[in-house]
């Protein structure tokens, strides 16, 4: 603008008559914000790792249940086959007895109907075996018929007391530990939000040159937070702690319920 109003003025100015300045600032966080952020990140990493463990626990539980289901389905199929074979012999015997006029035709018809029902039950049992086999194979990442080197025969095993099992479940189950870690992460988030409510200080180094005179200086600035102390995020963090308490209580109740049902 000066060059437009006064042509030639800028060209006649000497270099030391130019005015310029520079400023560099370094912010310093108050309230331990960096440590709080690190604490929250580590807490969330623990929650994620425990969630993965809980997912693996769920898959393992499904595989164990599928293994028992397949054993039970095969046992039921064997029983259904034996029942059908018994009716086959009964129908053959009744035919001979009918031929020798020892029974009426209704007796043969009744045994034939029972045999047909046994055939249907055998087909349903074989279908249940295939479904149980496919379900377990899918969990194991395999295809085709599975070979189980085990039976449903009872085994002798010392079972701890119910109270001891509940204590072990509350201590070791991944879902309970994940809920407990999530509760800790909520606490870490609350501490971070409280730290964010404290204003940061910025310290700066200033340099200026006015008509060849070098000027140096130090400066500091801090926002004057009267109405902005991160109140909203702090209240939200407190609500998340309450949610964490409720989820932890629900996870512990689920663990106790599963132990009682299994016991």
């Amino acid at each position: 603008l000066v060059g437009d109003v006064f042509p030639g003025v800028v060209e006649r100015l000497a270099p030391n008559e130019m005015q310029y300045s520079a400023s560099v600032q370094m912010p310093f966080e108050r309230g331990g914000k960096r440590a709080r952020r690190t604490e929250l990140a580590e807490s969330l990493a623990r929650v994620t790792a425990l969630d993965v463990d809980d997912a693996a626990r769920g898959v393992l539980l499904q595989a164990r249940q599928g293994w028992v289901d397949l054993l039970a389905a095969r046992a039921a199929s064997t029983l259904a086959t034996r029942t059908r074979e018994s009716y086959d012999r009964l129908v053959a015997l009744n035919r001979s007895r009918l031929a020798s006029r020892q029974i009426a035709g209704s007796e043969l018809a009744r045994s034939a109907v029972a045999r047909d029902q046994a055939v249907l039950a055998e087909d349903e049992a074989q279908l249940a075996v295939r479904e149980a086999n496919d379900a377990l194979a899918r969990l194991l990442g395999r295809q085709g018929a599975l070979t189980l080197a085990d039976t449903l025969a009872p085994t002798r095993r010392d079972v701890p007391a119910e109270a001891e099992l509940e204590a072990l479940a509350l201590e070791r189950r991944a879902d309970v530990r994940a809920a407990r870690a999530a509760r800790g992460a909520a606490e870490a988030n609350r501490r971070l939000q409280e730290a964010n409510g404290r204003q940061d200080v910025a310290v700066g180094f200033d340099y200026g040159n006015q008509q060849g005179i070098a000027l140096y200086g130090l400066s500091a600035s801090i926002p004057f937070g009267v109405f902005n102390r991160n109140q909203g995020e702090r209240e939200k963090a407190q609500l998340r702690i309450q949610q964490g308490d409720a989820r932890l209580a629900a996870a512990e109740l689920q663990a106790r319920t599963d132990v009682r049902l299994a016991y």
Side-chain angles (χ1 to χ4, degrees):
L1 180 60
V2 173
D4 294 337
V5 178
F6 305 100
V9 173
V10 176
E11 289 79 356
R12 293 196 301 271
L13 290 175
N16 59 359
E17 294 176 339
M18 302 290 288
Q19 297 184 10
Y20 53 89
S21 63
S23 177
V24 178
Q25 287 190 341
M26 178 67 180
F28 291 92
E29 294 181 336
R30 301 173 63 231
K33 294 183 178 67
R34 179 182 177 86
R36 298 299 180 220
R37 288 195 298 268
T38 302
E39 179 187 14
L40 178 58
E42 292 175 349
S43 300
L44 294 176
R46 286 194 296 270
V47 172
T48 302
L50 290 172
D51 286 338
V52 173
D53 293 342
D54 185 46
R57 181 188 67 88
V59 173
L60 181 59
L61 177 60
Q62 292 178 6
R64 288 174 172 174
Q65 291 175 340
W67 169 76
V68 175
D69 291 341
L70 180 55
L71 286 176
R74 289 182 176 178
S77 178
T78 301
L79 179 60
T81 299
R82 292 176 180 176
T83 302
R84 190 263 307 160
E85 292 173 350
S86 297
Y87 277 111
D88 287 342
R89 292 191 294 268
L90 177 61
V91 170
L93 177 61
N94 284 342
R95 285 199 180 100
S96 300
R97 296 173 66 188
L98 179 63
S100 61
R101 298 182 180 181
Q102 296 179 4
I103 61 173
S106 59
E107 291 294 332
L108 175 61
R110 189 160 41 244
S111 62
V113 171
R115 188 261 179 193
D116 293 339
Q117 293 176 345
V119 171
L120 179 60
E122 182 183 18
D123 292 341
E124 292 177 348
Q126 292 176 355
L127 176 60
V129 170
R130 290 195 294 270
E131 290 177 346
N133 182 89
D134 293 343
L136 182 57
R138 182 172 62 253
L139 289 172
L140 299 178
R142 299 182 181 180
Q143 295 180 353
L146 299 176
T147 301
L148 301 184
D150 208 340
T151 64
L152 289 177
T155 58
R156 297 183 58 85
R157 177 176 298 180
D158 294 332
V159 180
E162 183 178 353
E164 183 179 353
L165 291 177
E166 286 188 9
L168 289 174
L170 295 177
E171 177 186 359
R172 298 181 182 180
R173 269 184 52 150
D175 56 343
V176 177
R177 295 171 59 200
R180 194 173 293 121
R183 173 61 169 74
E187 283 284 358
N189 181 63
R190 179 187 60 80
R191 290 190 289 270
L192 173 61
Q193 300 307 326
E194 289 179 353
N196 288 336
R198 304 186 64 177
Q199 305 297 334
D200 298 333
V201 177
V203 178
F205 172 76
D206 305 319
Y207 171 77
N209 190 301
Q210 296 184 3
Q211 298 181 356
I213 300 176
L215 303 176
Y216 303 90
L218 294 175
S219 63
S221 64
I222 179 172
F224 191 55
V226 177
F227 303 103
N228 181 17
R229 295 189 300 275
N230 204 32
Q231 296 95 325
E233 292 298 327
R234 290 162 61 184
E235 292 181 4
K236 187 189 299 183
Q238 191 63 38
L239 290 177
R240 288 179 177 174
I241 291 178
Q242 298 176 7
Q243 291 176 348
D245 290 335
R247 290 171 180 170
L248 177 57
E252 291 178 347
L253 178 59
Q254 184 64 50
R256 291 190 179 96
T257 302
D258 291 345
V259 169
R260 291 171 185 172
L261 290 175
Y263 196 81

